[in-house]
Amino acid sequence: MDQFLQSIFGDTILTHVFMSVLPLLFLLVCAVVTIYVEMKMAAHMQDRLAYMRTGWHGTLQPVADILKLLQKEDIIPASADKFLFMLAPYIVFVGTYAAFAVLPFSSSYIGSAVDLGLFYVIAVSALVVVGILMAGWASNNKWSLFGAIRSASQVISYEIPAALAVLAVVMITGTMSMNEITKFQEGGIQNWLIFGGPLPIVHKLLLIPVMIVLAVVYYVCSMAEVNRTPFDIPEAESELVQGYNTEFTGMKFAIFYLAEYANLFLVSAIAVVLFFGGWSSPFGSFMSGPWWSLFWFSLKGMLFVCLNIWLRWTLPRLRVDQLMYVSWKVLVPFALVCVVLVGAIMVM
């Protein structure tokens, strides 16, 4: 993709701007599709039809909802810290969108193929917590502040087992580059890390159960990272009205909404890269290539997004004490044991 654009525009600022905007366009389309899929899945699980009137089977309803939301009045509470209140949604979105820079969307397109891609994602996504705390504090609303504090404690707690799951993958592949981790799993579904990777058969048989546990640990942590049910305690409507974004309206609320769906695809895409081959085809060299790579990456990512939506409308919300118990007394010990086992297997 880089070479194609450079052949048209040359190595100019226009090329770099276009390359940086591509993930945003993908993100906007992904958010609209995810909103539609979520409403439809929720409706059918509850024996309803959901959107039916705007467009064929309501396909244009998410666009109408977004346009209506953008036209709403932008209200700032009189007692709020106006500067931080206005800045918070942009900090949240920047923290999410910046992480897309290292996602390997295709074999020929990755925003920045840095060697420390996984470390960069973990570091830059911490900005989301800063923005959420900023939103809760600046709103001067006790429900917003409670939601922000809950979110910070939740993300900090669940980053530990998630980082341990990532560490195990780095130990196997020997790199933190997301592009190289994907290339490590090329050659078909049997080479994906969830199935032991392209290692000798003895290592694969020993690694498969360990990698399945790590994949589950990471995916549970990813749901907590994006505040999705059953980990939606920071936004618990029955307890906190709407949590940290209670006082936000119009465009600012839309940015929070967009950042949530962007983060949902981001954590799903990272799971795809770490355990499910990234953009590589499950059939080896068959159905592979730049455009097929984009198709496989998007398909795998959206399948995990749908799994997340399915769980949202299936499981009840956890209490705060249960939330901390799951992190520190269940996921952290399991992840630590798995990391030790991966190290022992790799030095065999």
Side-chain angles (χ1 to χ4, degrees):
M1 182 69 75
D2 293 338
Q3 296 174 353
F4 174 71
L5 290 174
Q6 287 179 6
S7 66
I8 298 176
F9 303 113
D11 191 11
T12 61
I13 188 67
L14 186 61
T15 301
H16 298 292
V17 168
F18 189 78
M19 291 297 293
S20 63
V21 169
L22 275 179
L24 180 60
L25 299 177
F26 175 86
L27 184 55
L28 293 172
V29 174
C30 179
V32 172
V33 172
T34 305
I35 292 171
Y36 179 79
V37 170
E38 178 157 26
M39 292 302 102
K40 279 293 185 180
M41 286 184 66
H44 286 294
M45 291 178 73
Q46 298 166 3
D47 200 20
R48 297 185 288 111
L49 292 177
Y51 305 141
M52 289 298 290
R53 294 181 179 274
T54 312
W56 182 78
H57 278 255
T59 50
L60 298 179
Q61 187 64 47
V63 179
D65 289 342
I66 292 172
L67 292 177
K68 181 182 179 182
L69 187 60
L70 294 179
Q71 297 176 61
K72 294 291 185 180
E73 182 181 359
D74 185 13
I75 300 172
I76 300 177
S79 58
D81 186 320
K82 292 180 174 55
F83 176 72
L84 295 181
F85 187 85
M86 292 188 292
L87 186 62
Y90 299 101
I91 295 292
V92 171
F93 181 75
V94 166
T96 300
Y97 186 57
F100 276 73
V102 295
L103 282 187
F105 286 92
S106 168
S107 57
S108 61
Y109 176 73
I110 177 172
S112 180
V114 295
D115 293 334
L116 298 176
L118 287 174
F119 181 80
Y120 168 82
V121 167
I122 294 172
V124 79
S125 60
L127 278 176
V128 175
V129 184
V130 175
I132 290 175
L133 278 173
M134 190 182 295
W137 172 261
S139 296
N140 197 24
N141 179 306
K142 60 182 179 182
W143 307 120
S144 299
L145 184 58
F146 286 158
I149 294 172
R150 283 184 176 188
S151 179
S153 60
Q154 177 173 311
V155 171
I156 291 170
S157 298
Y158 280 83
E159 274 185 348
I160 307 301
L164 289 172
V166 170
L167 176 62
V169 173
V170 173
M171 291 168 63
I172 296 172
T173 59
T175 179
M176 296 186 75
S177 168
M178 300 183 77
N179 207 29
E180 294 301 321
I181 291 173
T182 302
K183 290 180 180 178
F184 183 83
Q185 303 174 75
E186 285 185 316
I189 191 173
Q190 73 279 0
N191 289 340
W192 293 357
L193 283 174
I194 191 68
F195 300 118
L199 300 175
I201 187 65
V202 176
H203 291 73
K204 286 175 71 75
L205 293 176
L206 293 173
L207 276 176
I208 286 174
V210 178
M211 298 309 293
I212 291 175
V213 172
L214 285 172
V216 172
V217 167
Y218 172 81
Y219 198 71
V220 172
C221 293
S222 71
M223 287 193 293
E225 293 273 346
V226 296
N227 301 328
R228 301 281 294 186
T229 307
F231 304 101
D232 64 335
I233 291 176
E235 305 173 12
E237 293 88 351
S238 58
E239 303 171 22
L240 304 179
V241 187
Q242 185 61 33
Y244 58 86
N245 54 23
T246 297
E247 300 290 351
F248 288 88
T249 59
M251 182 70 176
K252 293 185 180 66
F253 183 79
I255 293 174
F256 273 120
Y257 210 60
L258 177 61
E260 178 179 335
Y261 283 104
N263 220 359
L264 180 58
F265 182 82
L266 174 65
V267 296
S268 300
I270 294 172
V272 168
V273 172
L274 293 180
F275 300 102
F276 297 92
W279 41 255
S280 63
S281 169
F283 309 114
S285 58
F286 179 65
M287 297 177 73
S288 62
W291 293 107
W292 278 112
S293 299
L294 179 61
F295 167 77
W296 288 120
F297 186 81
S298 303
L299 177 64
K300 294 174 189 176
M302 288 305 297
L303 285 176
F304 279 101
V305 169
C306 291
L307 175 60
N308 207 310
I309 294 170
W310 178 27
L311 292 174
R312 175 185 177 181
W313 297 103
T314 304
L315 302 175
R317 181 185 303 130
L318 297 176
R319 297 195 310 264
V320 176
D321 61 313
Q322 294 171 332
L323 179 87
M324 292 297 141
Y325 178 89
V326 169
S327 174
W328 293 105
K329 293 190 176 182
V330 178
L331 297 181
V332 170
F334 269 95
L336 274 173
V337 170
C338 288
V339 167
V340 173
L341 289 176
V342 168
I345 293 170
M346 294 307 295
V347 298
M348 284 177 57

